[in-house]
Amino acid sequence: MRILFVCLGNICRSPTAEVVFRAVASREAPDIVLEIDSAGTAGYHVGELPDRRTRQAAARRGYDLSALRARVVEPRDFEYFDLILAMDRENLRALERRSPQHARERLRLFLDFAPETGVSEVPDPYYGGPNGFEDVLDLIEAASRGLLAHLRRKSQAA
Ligand code: 4NP
């Protein structure tokens, strides 16, 4: 199973999702073989480390984002990944515009896997205050647990 997380810049939300989901999956479902990556729909920050505020907030919860570098979504991503999870509707629409028809069913909002939060989009924290980065982590941790439960049900059904 190959999963790609997507936001706008690939320096705040989607790298956080990549590392948090990888940690949750390896801790709670080491039996499920996963390939996890992240990318942005915009190229403003290509090659950069995740945002310092994102790295610091993640580090306080034990997640290390220092190995990641930003990249943009590429045409081959639509062929390679089984599930492409957007952080918000704007990025989901950007993916839909670029996706070949046959890959459209691979596109979802990440927070579809966290209905209990009552929130459907991970808000962009880039221009906001420090609480934004904590909110991003809370939502991503919740959706990571939900996504893992979904994958476990799928692997048991297979
Ligand atoms: P991200 O956050 O999409 O969660 O990585 C942003 C990063 C950069 C910008 C916007 C959002 N920017 O406008 O440069």
Side-chain angles (χ1 to χ4, degrees), residues 11 22 104 106 111 121-122 135 141 148-150 156:
I11 56 168
R22 186 176 288 129
R104 292 272 167 91
R106 303 176 185 186
L111 290 190
E121 303 181 288
V122 183
D135 294 344
E141 286 181 336
L148 191 61
H150 165 82
Q156 281 160 0

Side-chain angles (χ1 to χ4, degrees), residues 7-14 44-45 124-127:
C7 60
L8 183 65
N10 192 213
I11 56 168
C12 295
R13 294 164 292 173
S14 64
Y44 318 127
H45 297 279
D124 182 348
Y126 193 68
Y127 293 109

Side-chain angles (χ1 to χ4, degrees), residues 89-142:
R89 289 196 178 78
E90 187 183 326
N91 285 295
L92 181 61
R93 277 193 294 270
L95 289 168
E96 284 166 351
R97 282 194 298 273
R98 297 177 202 183
S99 171
Q101 192 62 40
H102 70 87
R104 292 272 167 91
E105 64 190 19
R106 303 176 185 186
L107 312 179
R108 303 272 295 270
L109 282 173
F110 186 30
L111 290 190
D112 284 356
F113 296 99
E116 76 282 3
T117 63
V119 181
S120 60
E121 303 181 288
V122 183
D124 182 348
Y126 193 68
Y127 293 109
N131 284 348
F133 294 88
E134 298 301 324
D135 294 344
V136 164
L137 279 159
D138 290 341
L139 291 168
I140 285 174
E141 286 181 336

